[in-house]
């Protein structure tokens, strides 16, 4: 399995518009963070996790290949704003979108032209498939397990695919989800900034969760400019924990 981080940033991206802080003006490309998203490649499937407003930019320089499915964590714009840009990939066939019921309803309201019964040319072929936390499903022969995490008070989804765990926008996690992540090799998880936040994990909180899950490697994503400079923070982290960056490839 290979995971490519195509976006490691929070909802505003980094640099943040109008900001002149050291991170937003950094010349280090690892401090440029598009909205959080990843591509997972297994033996028989190419899976996109979230499809935010930077999706077109994120994939322009990548090989043009089929996407077998899109796993949606939640309905916020920075995670679904690029769904219409899946149109070119529909030349390979349908690109199913997997989301829980309330998110599917929100997408139908936000983008009704994509999900009408009477289709017309130019509409992306992205059928919605409703899923539930704790219920496994397959994309081709690749199994995926959606698991519950809490984005403040909003219930959203993380995913386990084989030995990979992917979690974004989390503040807390129920005990059952910790159990579902037992034995993973790689954990990709959100850490917004140094200071606490009402709906996202801080760096300290993320480190505590990583310590409990005990993956062989952990990579933090969904970072704002308030996380600090990549090079400086990376030096302070444990050997098995890293800040992710756009373009990072992780091999399992």
């Amino acid at each position: 399995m290979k995971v490519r981080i195509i976006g490691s940033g929070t909802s505003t991206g980094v640099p943040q518009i109008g900001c002149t802080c050291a991170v937003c003006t950094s010349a280090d490309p690892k401090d440029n963070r598009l909205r959080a998203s990843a591509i997972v490649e297994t033996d028989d499937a190419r899976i996109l996790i979230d499809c935010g407003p930077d999706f077109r930019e994120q994939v322009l320089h990548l090989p043009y290949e089929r996407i077998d499915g899109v796993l949606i964590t939640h309905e916020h714009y920075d995670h679904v704003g690029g769904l219409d840009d899946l149109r070119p990939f529909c030349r390979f066939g349908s690109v199913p979108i997997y989301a829980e019921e309330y998110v599917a309803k929100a997408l139908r309201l936000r983008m009704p032209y994509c999900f009408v019964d009477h289709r017309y040319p130019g509409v992306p072929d992205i059928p919605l498939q409703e899923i539930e936390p704790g219920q496994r499903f397959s994309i081709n022969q690749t199994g995926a397990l959606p698991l519950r995490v809490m984005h403040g008070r909003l219930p959203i989804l993380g995913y386990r695919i084989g030995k990979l765990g992917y979690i974004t926008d989390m503040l807390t996690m129920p005990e059952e989800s910790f159990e579902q992540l037992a034995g993973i090799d790689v954990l990709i998880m959100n850490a917004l900034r140094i200071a606490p936040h009402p709906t996202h994990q801080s760096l300290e909180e993320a480190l505590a969760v990583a310590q409990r899950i005990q993956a062989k490697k952990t990579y933090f994503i969904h970072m704002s400019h308030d996380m600090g400079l990549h090079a400086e923070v990376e030096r302070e982290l444990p050997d098995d924990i890293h800040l992710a960056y756009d373009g990072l490839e992780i091999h399992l």
Side-chain angles (χ1 to χ4, degrees):
M1 184 188 297
K2 180 177 77 173
V3 184
R4 184 180 183 93
I5 304 297
I6 60 174
S8 59
T10 190
S11 57
T12 57
V14 183
Q16 182 173 301
I17 294 172
C19 184
T20 58
C21 75
V23 178
C24 289
T25 57
S26 170
D28 184 350
K30 293 181 180 179
D31 288 318
N32 292 335
R33 302 167 186 151
L34 299 175
R35 268 65 76 93
S37 184
I39 296 174
V40 179
E41 297 182 17
T42 70
D43 289 340
D44 74 339
R46 190 165 183 256
I47 300 168
L48 176 67
I49 305 180
D50 283 338
C51 186
D54 297 324
F55 175 70
R56 179 180 178 277
E57 179 181 355
Q58 290 165 331
V59 298
L60 272 175
H61 64 287
L62 298 180
Y64 176 49
E65 299 173 338
R66 179 183 179 92
I67 296 175
D68 296 291
V70 182
L71 306 181
I72 301 297
T73 60
H74 62 298
E75 64 174 295
H76 288 168
Y77 177 76
D78 56 316
H79 296 267
V80 301
L83 287 173
D84 187 81
D85 286 320
L86 288 166
R87 280 183 290 168
F89 295 92
C90 297
R91 297 172 192 164
F92 297 102
S94 297
V95 181
I97 308 297
Y98 296 88
E100 58 183 316
E101 182 183 11
Y102 85 89
V103 176
K105 288 180 178 178
L107 294 177
R108 290 187 181 100
L109 288 172
R110 184 178 298 173
M111 306 175 67
Y113 67 96
C114 289
F115 308 109
V116 294
D117 292 333
H118 302 288
R119 302 182 55 78
Y120 57 88
V123 175
D125 185 5
I126 52 172
L128 279 169
Q129 308 290 323
E130 294 185 7
I131 57 176
E132 296 182 14
Q135 294 191 1
R136 297 179 184 273
F137 63 95
S138 295
I139 299 176
N140 297 336
Q141 298 301 311
T142 296
L145 174 66
L147 52 100
R148 176 62 73 216
V149 300
M150 298 300 297
H151 182 10
R153 292 184 295 177
L154 178 69
I156 69 172
L157 293 179
Y159 291 94
R160 177 170 180 163
I161 304 172
K163 294 287 189 175
L164 168 71
Y166 185 98
I167 297 169
T168 187
D169 287 53
M170 181 181 78
L171 180 63
T172 59
M173 182 191 305
E175 189 65 30
E176 181 181 20
S177 297
F178 278 105
E179 295 169 1
Q180 290 167 338
L181 290 167
I184 60 173
D185 288 342
V186 171
L187 173 64
I188 299 171
M189 182 175 63
N190 63 295
L192 182 69
R193 64 189 192 188
I194 305 300
H197 188 274
T199 62
H200 295 262
Q201 290 185 131
S202 66
L203 178 59
E204 182 179 0
E205 290 166 332
L207 285 167
V209 171
Q211 177 66 26
R212 180 171 177 188
I213 292 175
Q214 287 287 300
K216 294 178 181 178
K217 292 285 185 181
T218 296
Y219 298 87
F220 291 147
I221 58 165
H222 209 283
M223 296 172 288
S224 76
H225 60 171
D226 293 321
M227 175 60 80
L229 293 167
H230 185 282
E232 292 182 0
V233 179
E234 180 74 12
R235 283 196 295 267
E236 301 300 320
L237 294 176
D239 290 343
D240 57 348
I241 299 178
H242 305 277
L243 297 188
Y245 55 86
D246 294 15
L248 171 66
E249 289 190 358
I250 304 165
H251 296 264
L252 286 78

